[in-house]
């Protein structure tokens, strides 16, 4: 269930090294401002094209999609770093940046050199989480040379620099890491717990920075983070109920935990004060019951 978490810190450490050594201006660890040769533009309000769902079902679908993509990103990152350590990727220069992107329905780990000229990155190595691969059951992936969206890769790699420079939540309950997700007209940097297991999982604390698509301008960020708490998932039984801290829609981290739990239990319920959201392993679909 949680093989992603076991080596994730090592993966993020490698990502930080690669990003810090890239051609972009360096950022100091713990800093919340980007150091650049010229002052960056001020933070801007989210653009008008950002459409926020207004119904419970719409809001839930958006947040659930983010939770699934965050887990996909973490799996991609871990698999790419494991492949590098196994020698499957060949030589990787310390000056290259590492990022994971979702191109259509496939996750790819990408090593590349960031540049100041379009498209913004020279892609050097790609590792796709694709079947068939060396171990199809685990979707460990394979080296590919297929066409890739270098503009997308450049934007997410640059946005990751902002995430690596920010102060992450944690407060001693758990370690949090940045995850970059490209949306239609901007890029999100989510901070999520990195070491969840069935015996001990952290929910809450998830926060967000929104960046421009090129990863250079901050558009907005969360002013607070949800309260963190530690929960555990029983490995026996048929149903696991996670009591949400929210009124209506569960947190991103709560939905992430639900998707991890469904790998070991037939049914998972995330219960807010207004709804029971029920996920079953047989269908991998959510149903809702108004409380």
């Amino acid at each position: 269930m949680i093989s992603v978490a076991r080596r994730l810190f090592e993966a993020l450490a490698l990502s930080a090294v690669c990003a810090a050594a890239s051609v972009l201006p360096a950022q100091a660890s713990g800093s919340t401002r980007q150091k650049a040769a010229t002052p960056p533009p001020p933070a801007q309000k989210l653009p008008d094209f950002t459409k926020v769902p207004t119904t419970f079902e719409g809001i839930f679908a958006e947040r659930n999609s983010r939770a699934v993509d965050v887990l996909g990103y973490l799996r991609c990152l871990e698999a790419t770093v494991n492949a590098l350590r196994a020698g499957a990727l060949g030589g990787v220069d310390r000056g290259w940046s590492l990022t994971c992107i979702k191109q259509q329905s496939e996750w790819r780990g990408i090593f590349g050199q960031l540049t100041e000229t379009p498209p913004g990155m020279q892609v050097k190595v790609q590792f796709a989480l694709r079947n068939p691969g060396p171990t199809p059951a685990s979707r460990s992936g394979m080296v590919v040379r297929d066409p890739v969206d270098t503009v997308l890769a450049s934007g997410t790699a640059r946005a990751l620099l902002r995430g690596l420079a920010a102060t992450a939540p944690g407060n001693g309950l758990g370690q949090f890491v940045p995850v970059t997700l490209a949306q239609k007209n901007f890029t999100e940097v989510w901070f999520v717990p990195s070491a969840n297991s069935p015996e001990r999982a952290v929910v809450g604390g998830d926060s967000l920075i929104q960046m421009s698509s090129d990863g250079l301008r901050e558009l907005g960020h969360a002013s607070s983070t949800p309260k963190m708490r530690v929960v555990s998932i029983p490995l026996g039984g048929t149903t696991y109920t996670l009591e949400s801290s929210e009124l209506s829609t569960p947190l991103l981290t709560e939905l992430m935990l639900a998707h991890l739990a469904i790998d070991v239990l037939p049914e998972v319920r995330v219960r807010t004060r207004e709804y029971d959201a029920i996920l079953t392993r047989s269908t991998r679909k959510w149903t809702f019951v108004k409380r």
Side-chain angles (χ1 to χ4, degrees):
M1 168 182 170
I2 318 290
S3 63
V4 172
R6 302 189 189 279
R7 293 179 294 276
L8 185 57
F9 274 126
E10 299 173 359
L12 262 295
L14 176 60
S15 178
V17 168
C18 292
S22 73
V23 298
L24 289 184
Q27 292 182 327
S29 175
S31 171
T32 58
R33 297 183 63 86
Q34 188 179 26
K35 296 180 181 178
T38 57
Q44 301 177 4
K45 294 182 180 179
L46 287 179
D48 294 336
F49 49 65
T50 304
K51 295 182 179 180
V52 179
T54 57
T55 65
F56 164 76
E57 291 80 4
I59 295 171
F60 187 98
E62 285 285 320
R63 196 164 297 173
N64 182 64
S65 175
R66 298 296 197 278
V68 171
D69 281 348
V70 167
L71 291 172
Y73 180 100
L74 297 179
R75 292 185 179 112
C76 172
L77 187 64
E78 183 193 35
T80 303
V81 172
N82 286 345
L84 174 66
R85 290 182 177 145
L89 306 187
V92 171
D93 193 288
R94 291 179 63 87
W96 296 350
S97 290
L98 167 63
T99 189
C100 279
I101 64 171
K102 187 178 182 181
Q103 183 160 288
Q104 297 179 343
S105 60
E106 179 179 86
W107 282 98
R108 292 192 196 178
I110 295 174
F111 282 99
Q113 185 173 11
L114 291 170
T115 66
E116 295 181 357
T117 57
M121 174 181 276
Q122 295 179 357
V123 172
K124 303 294 186 180
V125 181
Q126 296 183 65
F127 189 74
L129 269 65
R130 178 186 302 175
N131 282 330
T135 54
S138 63
R139 297 180 60 89
S140 60
M142 59 195 307
V143 176
V144 298
R145 292 179 174 83
D146 301 348
V148 65
D149 189 337
T150 51
V151 173
L152 175 63
S154 169
T156 55
R158 284 175 160 84
L160 181 60
L161 291 178
R162 175 66 180 95
L164 291 169
T167 300
N171 295 339
L173 285 181
Q175 299 293 334
F176 280 62
V177 296
V179 169
T180 54
L181 299 180
Q183 305 304 324
K184 183 177 181 181
N185 293 295
F186 56 93
T187 298
E188 296 176 340
V189 183
W190 285 96
F191 291 89
V192 297
S194 65
N196 282 347
S197 69
E199 296 77 19
R200 186 183 188 278
V202 176
V203 293
D206 37 307
S207 59
L208 171 67
I209 299 174
Q210 287 164 316
M211 304 289 294
S212 59
S213 293
D214 58 13
L216 294 175
R217 293 180 294 111
E218 184 175 320
L219 303 176
H221 58 84
S223 58
S224 61
T225 59
K227 183 179 179 180
M228 286 175 282
R229 66 190 193 279
V230 177
V231 298
S232 60
I233 302 171
L235 297 182
T238 59
T239 300
Y240 169 57
T241 300
L242 174 62
E243 296 289 344
S244 172
S245 62
E246 300 302 286
L247 174 65
S248 179
T249 309
L251 298 172
L252 174 85
T253 48
E254 292 171 342
L255 292 174
M256 287 173 59
L257 184 57
H259 282 283
L260 292 173
I262 203 63
D263 289 337
V264 295
L265 293 167
E267 181 181 277
V268 177
R269 293 174 177 245
V270 184
R271 175 171 293 170
T272 63
R273 281 172 279 176
E274 293 185 349
Y275 290 91
D276 273 2
I278 306 165
L279 180 64
T280 58
R281 191 194 302 170
S282 59
T283 64
R284 297 284 175 165
K285 294 182 179 179
W286 290 95
T287 57
F288 308 105
V289 177
K290 189 78 164 64
R291 298 185 66 190

